Structure formats: structure tokens, C-alpha cells
Amino acid sequence: VLGKVVIVGVGLIGGSFALALKRAGVVREVVGVGRGETNLQRAIALGIIDSIGREPAAIYGDADLVFLATPVGQMAAIMQTIAPHLGAHTVVTDGGSTKQDVVGFAQAHLPQHIERFVAAHPIAGAELSGVEAARADLYDGKKLIIATPPRTAQNAVIQVSRAWEACGMRIFSMSPAEHDAIFAAVSHFPHLMAFALVDDIASRPNAEELFRYAASGFRDSTRIAGSHPEMWRDIMLANREAVLKEIDSYEANLARLKRALQNHDGETLYRAFQHSHDARAAWIAAIEAGARGPGA
Amino acid sequence: VLGKVVIVGVGLIGGSFALALKRAGVVREVVGVGRGETNLQRAIALGIIDSIGREPAAIYGDADLVFLATPVGQMAAIMQTIAPHLGAHTVVTDGGSTKQDVVGFAQAHLPQHIERFVAAHPIAGAELSGVEAARADLYDGKKLIIATPPRTAQNAVIQVSRAWEACGMRIFSMSPAEHDAIFAAVSHFPHLMAFALVDDIASRPNAEELFRYAASGFRDSTRIAGSHPEMWRDIMLANREAVLKEIDSYEANLARLKRALQNHDGETLYRAFQHSHDARAAWIAAIEAGARGPGA
């Protein structure tokens, strides 16, 4: 059981963490910190946080766990602010979608505390945002990736793992570099791709007509293009090298299909579509088997 | 009320048309035609068709409406088969996702019957396929596009419109060329894009690991990559010029965002993401207002 947990950035991710810890009965007190007073008042009204933290000197010294749940672009400044006030036992963790950059910030701004900094990434739907969207069950059955450097103390990793397990998550580990390469492929680039599609369509003179006839396939495939623009700009910049590699790979594959279409080469198109169809069907079947199975 | 309706290709689209006409009580008899005997027997068992049509000479002469619901790649051959047997009053229509090519097939293979051929496209989720997926409510509130040349007789257009209205659809009209340009943008290219993404990921040595960490955003944005490979190959080839234009447009927009990322230009990324976010939010709000409003 945790005593005091401080959540910096009480939105969907931070608010849902608080609600899930409370649901599990594993936290005594949740303090919320953030830039928006109205938002924090709302979080109190919704029972998400117990109080608002205003004076760094009073907040962090006796905290068991500090969760940084802001956009990644704000984390360096927050680390600088909290560094002088952290208690010797306080564990700091984050929920950022990129890990090499966050680890770099911690090395630069929390050097005294680096063994008690645990870099992590809860994989949960982030196209909604704001404290109003927070839910106690957001993390049920989802994956937490711990992607922290070898210097992090094992007992800090265990404490963070237990907190997220209490929220319903399954815990996975990898290096920060592996994390960033994998999520560039399956999350960051697909977001860029969807943003680029909607931006392209919406920039045309006949955009209104195009949207009128867009149907459920377009709606689903662009759902992530409704994601938080500032958060995703920060993610792209933070994971720039890996995202650029994904763009290169996708451009080459799209160019291959374009050549096939130019050449009336239905066989190449068919093979790519069939391969995609079968791979996705196997993936969905595995997810559904996992959801039914004992490991879920 | 229609007397005899013949459905060529009793899958999701053809089967749902039959069920919706029956639900509305506007058809006396539905005859199914197709390549797969097992599938047609299943359609009878499910109450979708009343009988199986085997001899062209016996099927088409007294039909009020023939609905071609096969992949577009099969339609030319089917038109050749049915042409000598159509009754003078029989109206022929189709459900193909491309219209200029189908109109061309009709001009080549149904020249005696061209005034009673109505090119149309029901916009309804097609990532499922097969007669087992057919549902009476598939078309409720969805859009039917009539995209037929000026030579089509008005009373044939009215008859097809009334049948689809009885299935719950809203009717829209445009030229075949307009249709193909619009659907290249909002449907055909987005499918190619999703197929290309999954094909790219699935072709890598670490594909299994990548899929393990892919989450709901990836799942939704690639739902259409689970679509029917043969059908979509046919669509791409049939609407080749318009799809190639969309690829060019998308490649240029992706290259612009890539340059921004190479240059650490967060402002350009942010503007594109914000534009996309806002355009999609406005589109969804309009859909939801339409679903509530009197025009729905």
C-alpha cells in the first residue's frame, strides 16, 4: 500500500491512475499538481485527487510515488522544479509515450535521484484527453512497458510495477531504445500517417463533399487523427530518428504498390493485400485468445 | 412492390439487400445466383433467398430487378451471360465500389439494355464478407450513390431508388467520374494505405514483437486492412487513375511532414495535427447532428 502519491498532470492518464489506485484500495492520499486550477478543482469534485499541491517544498518530501503524466515536452522543466524537494525514498515514474528522451531528462535533471527514477509507458487509449475522460478501468488488461536504464534500483521498479498491477495492467520490460523503435512502428508513425491523411483531405477545395461521403472505414482508420495535437507533436520530435525510419520504410512500401498499380500489376497488389489481411486476422485471433486465456 | 428480384453474388452486400427488401415487405420472390453451391444452400437455409437460379434462360426474362453484387472484376462476364435473357422491362443495377468501369462494361455488354441499367454504390461496411455476415439492417441510415450516365431511363432510376429506400438508405446522385474521384479519396486510397502499413509491419523479422505491443489505435486504424483482398485488388485496378492521384497527393503531404520532422520543425507538425484534429472533430459532430436530426 502506498501512502502519498503525487500526480503531476491530472488528465486522462494521470486521473485514471488515481482512480484505479483508489479502486484497488492501495493508496492513502492522492495530491494533484498542474497548470490549470479549474482542471484541478474539477479533479477534486470528481473524487480523483484529494488535494491540490501548490508548494513544491510541501508536496514531494514525504511522497512515496510521483507520477509525471504531462506531455513529454513539459517533463524536463517539471523535473528541474521537483528535484530539490524529493524525499530520499520517493520513487519518480512517468507515463510518457517515448522513453529515451525522458531517461535523458532524468539523467540531466534528477541526477541525485536517478536510481529511484523508473521510466515507464502505460499503453492505453490516448485519443481522448482531459480529466473528464479519466476512468478507473482505463488500464484493465492493458500493457505497462517499463523501459528504464540498468541503473534504476530494482526495488523502485518493483514498487512501480505493483502500483500498475493494482490498476489492472500486465507488466513488460525492455530497454528505452527498443521501446522507442517498437512504438515508432506501431503507434507513432500510424498517428502521423492518419494525421497526414485527414490534413490532406481537409485542405482541398471540395473537402466538405469528401467528408460527406466518407464512411465508417474512414472514420475508424482516422480515429487517431483526432488525438491531442500538442502531445503528438512532442512525441514525434522526441522520437524523431525512429519515426523518420518508419516514414522511410512506409514510403518505400507505398511506392512499391504505386508502381504495381501503374503497371496494372494486380498480382503484387493481391499478394500485399492478402498478406496484410492474413497477418491482421492472426493478430486479432491472438488478442482474442489472450483475452479469454489464463494470462489475460 | 417488386415481383421477382435476382441477386447475382449472394454475400454480405447481396444477402443484406435481400433481407432488407423482405423486412420491408416489398419483394415477392428472391432468386440467388452464384458460383458457390454451398453458399447458395446456406442462403436458402438462412431465409435470404427463396430459390437458386441455375438456368439463365429461366431466370431473367420475368425478373423486375437484377442486382449484380459480385466483385467488380466479375461483372463484365456476368453481363455477357445475362444479356440475351433479360426481359424488356427488367432493370439491372449493381453494387460495385467503382462506377466508370461498371458503366463501361454495361455499354459493351448490355448495349440493348443500357437505358435500364442503373449504376449504383451502396456505402456500407464491407470489411466483413460472406452470406453469414448478411443483415437486414446493414443499410439503415447509410448512403446509396446513384452514379449512372444520362442515358439511363428515369423510371429505372426511380425503381432502384425506391428499392434501396425500402432498405433504409438515403439516396444521392452524381456522375460516375465524380463518384470515382470522391471514393478514391475517402475509401480506396485509405484502404491501400492501411494494407500497405500492415504489409510493411508484417514483413519484418520482428513482426511478432511489433504486433504484441500494437494497441487499440493500431487496431482501429488498420481495421480496413482486414478487407477482402480480391475485391480490393479489383477496386484499385478499376479506379487506377484516381487512386494514383490520391497516392501522389498523400506522398507529397507525407514528404512535407517528413521534412518538418527532419528540420525539427514542430510548428509545421503542430499545424497539420491541429488542422486534422479540428477537421475530424467537425466532421464527427456533423455526422452526429445528422443522426439526431430530421434528415437522418
Side-chain angles (χ1 to χ4, degrees):
Chain A
V1 174
L2 297 158
K4 177 172 166 186
V5 171
V6 181
I7 295 177
V8 185
V10 187
L12 172 71
I13 295 299
S16 295
F17 182 65
L19 288 172
L21 290 177
K22 289 183 172 196
R23 180 187 65 174
V26 297
V27 64
R28 204 185 65 230
E29 179 192 359
V30 177
V31 179
V33 175
R35 297 184 298 190
E37 179 68 19
T38 317
N39 183 65
L40 292 171
Q41 293 289 358
R42 190 81 195 109
I44 287 185
L46 290 167
I48 292 171
I49 60 174
D50 302 308
S51 64
I52 299 175
R54 291 195 174 85
E55 292 300 323
I59 302 169
Y60 298 102
D62 61 345
D64 292 322
L65 184 63
V66 175
F67 178 39
L68 309 181
T70 63
V72 168
Q74 299 171 25
M75 285 190 190
I78 292 166
M79 289 177 185
Q80 285 181 292
T81 303
I82 70 176
H85 308 291
L86 293 169
H89 80 292
T90 306
V91 170
V92 180
T93 188
D94 80 301
S97 301
T98 48
K99 295 275 66 81
Q100 291 175 102
D101 63 324
V102 173
V103 167
F105 299 151
Q107 284 161 344
H109 304 299
L110 298 176
Q112 310 300 316
H113 213 81
I114 196 70
E115 293 179 9
R116 304 193 68 72
F117 179 77
V118 182
H121 176 197
I123 313 301
E127 81 286 355
L128 288 171
S129 53
V131 71
E132 305 278 349
R135 306 195 321 253
D137 65 354
L138 182 71
Y139 300 115
D140 283 348
K142 303 290 171 60
K143 296 184 179 74
L144 179 84
I145 317 291
I146 294 189
T148 206
R151 282 193 61 191
T152 309
Q154 268 311 306
N155 60 358
V157 170
I158 290 168
Q159 187 170 329
V160 169
S161 299
R162 286 198 180 140
W164 281 109
E165 277 171 350
C167 297
M169 292 197 112
R170 298 148 65 194
I171 315 295
F172 295 78
S173 290
M174 59 183 70
S175 74
E178 280 177 297
H179 170 279
D180 289 357
I182 289 172
F183 286 90
V186 301
S187 172
H188 308 167
F189 173 68
H191 276 76
L192 185 78
M193 191 174 122
F195 279 128
L197 177 65
V198 178
D199 179 48
D200 184 11
I201 298 287
S203 301
R204 300 189 191 181
N206 65 337
E208 197 186 336
E209 184 175 35
L210 293 173
F211 280 119
R212 186 181 319 137
Y213 295 109
S216 63
F218 188 86
R219 185 170 176 160
D220 285 357
S221 64
T222 61
R223 180 174 66 80
I224 55 179
S227 301
H228 195 290
E230 180 190 359
M231 173 181 158
W232 284 94
R233 176 203 58 196
D234 288 354
I235 289 172
M236 300 304 164
L237 292 171
N239 202 18
R240 187 174 157 276
E241 294 293 339
V243 174
L244 284 170
K245 271 190 205 162
E246 292 302 321
I247 296 176
D248 287 342
S249 175
Y250 187 78
E251 282 181 333
N253 205 31
L254 186 59
R256 189 175 64 88
L257 297 183
K258 177 181 170 180
R259 272 195 309 278
L261 193 52
Q262 283 167 333
N263 298 334
H264 302 266
D265 171 7
E267 183 54 29
T268 295
L269 295 174
Y270 182 76
R271 260 186 284 124
F273 295 179
Q274 184 77 57
H275 183 220
S276 169
H277 172 278
D278 294 351
R280 190 173 186 284
W283 173 54
I284 297 293
I287 291 172
E288 287 171 0
R292 282 194 305 272
Chain B
V1 174
L2 296 159
K4 180 171 164 184
V5 170
V6 181
I7 295 177
V8 185
V10 187
L12 172 70
I13 296 297
S16 296
F17 182 65
L19 287 172
L21 290 177
K22 290 183 172 197
R23 180 187 64 173
V26 297
V27 65
R28 205 186 64 232
E29 180 192 0
V30 177
V31 179
V33 175
R35 297 184 299 191
E37 180 67 18
T38 317
N39 183 65
L40 293 170
Q41 295 288 357
R42 190 81 195 109
I44 287 184
L46 290 167
I48 293 171
I49 60 173
D50 302 309
S51 65
I52 299 174
R54 293 197 172 84
E55 293 301 323
I59 301 168
Y60 297 102
D62 61 344
D64 292 322
L65 184 64
V66 176
F67 179 40
L68 310 181
T70 63
V72 168
Q74 299 171 26
M75 285 191 191
I78 291 166
M79 289 177 186
Q80 286 182 288
T81 303
I82 70 175
H85 308 291
L86 293 170
H89 79 291
T90 306
V91 170
V92 181
T93 189
D94 79 301
S97 302
T98 47
K99 294 275 68 78
Q100 292 175 102
D101 63 324
V102 172
V103 166
F105 299 152
Q107 283 161 346
H109 304 300
L110 297 176
Q112 310 300 319
H113 213 81
I114 197 71
E115 293 179 9
R116 304 191 68 72
F117 179 77
V118 182
H121 177 197
I123 312 302
E127 81 287 353
L128 289 169
S129 52
V131 70
E132 306 278 350
R135 306 195 321 254
D137 65 353
L138 182 70
Y139 300 115
D140 284 348
K142 302 288 171 61
K143 294 186 180 75
L144 178 83
I145 316 291
I146 293 190
T148 205
R151 282 194 59 191
T152 310
Q154 269 309 306
N155 61 357
V157 170
I158 289 167
Q159 187 170 329
V160 169
S161 299
R162 284 196 182 139
W164 282 109
E165 277 171 350
C167 297
M169 293 198 111
R170 297 147 67 193
I171 315 295
F172 295 79
S173 290
M174 59 183 71
S175 74
E178 280 177 298
H179 171 279
D180 289 358
I182 289 172
F183 286 90
V186 300
S187 173
H188 308 168
F189 174 68
H191 277 77
L192 185 78
M193 190 175 123
F195 280 127
L197 177 65
V198 178
D199 179 49
D200 184 12
I201 298 288
S203 300
R204 301 188 191 181
N206 66 337
E208 196 185 338
E209 184 176 36
L210 293 174
F211 279 119
R212 186 182 318 137
Y213 295 109
S216 62
F218 188 85
R219 184 171 178 161
D220 284 356
S221 64
T222 62
R223 181 175 65 81
I224 55 181
S227 300
H228 195 289
E230 180 191 358
M231 172 181 158
W232 284 94
R233 176 203 59 195
D234 288 354
I235 289 171
M236 300 305 165
L237 293 172
N239 202 19
R240 186 175 156 275
E241 296 293 339
V243 174
L244 284 170
K245 271 189 205 161
E246 292 302 320
I247 297 176
D248 288 342
S249 175
Y250 187 78
E251 282 181 336
N253 205 30
L254 187 60
R256 188 175 65 89
L257 297 183
K258 178 180 169 180
R259 271 194 310 278
L261 194 52
Q262 285 167 332
N263 298 332
H264 302 266
D265 171 7
E267 182 55 28
T268 295
L269 295 174
Y270 182 76
R271 261 186 283 122
F273 295 180
Q274 184 77 56
H275 183 219
S276 169
H277 173 278
D278 293 351
R280 191 173 185 283
W283 173 54
I284 298 294
I287 291 172
E288 288 172 0
R292 281 193 306 271

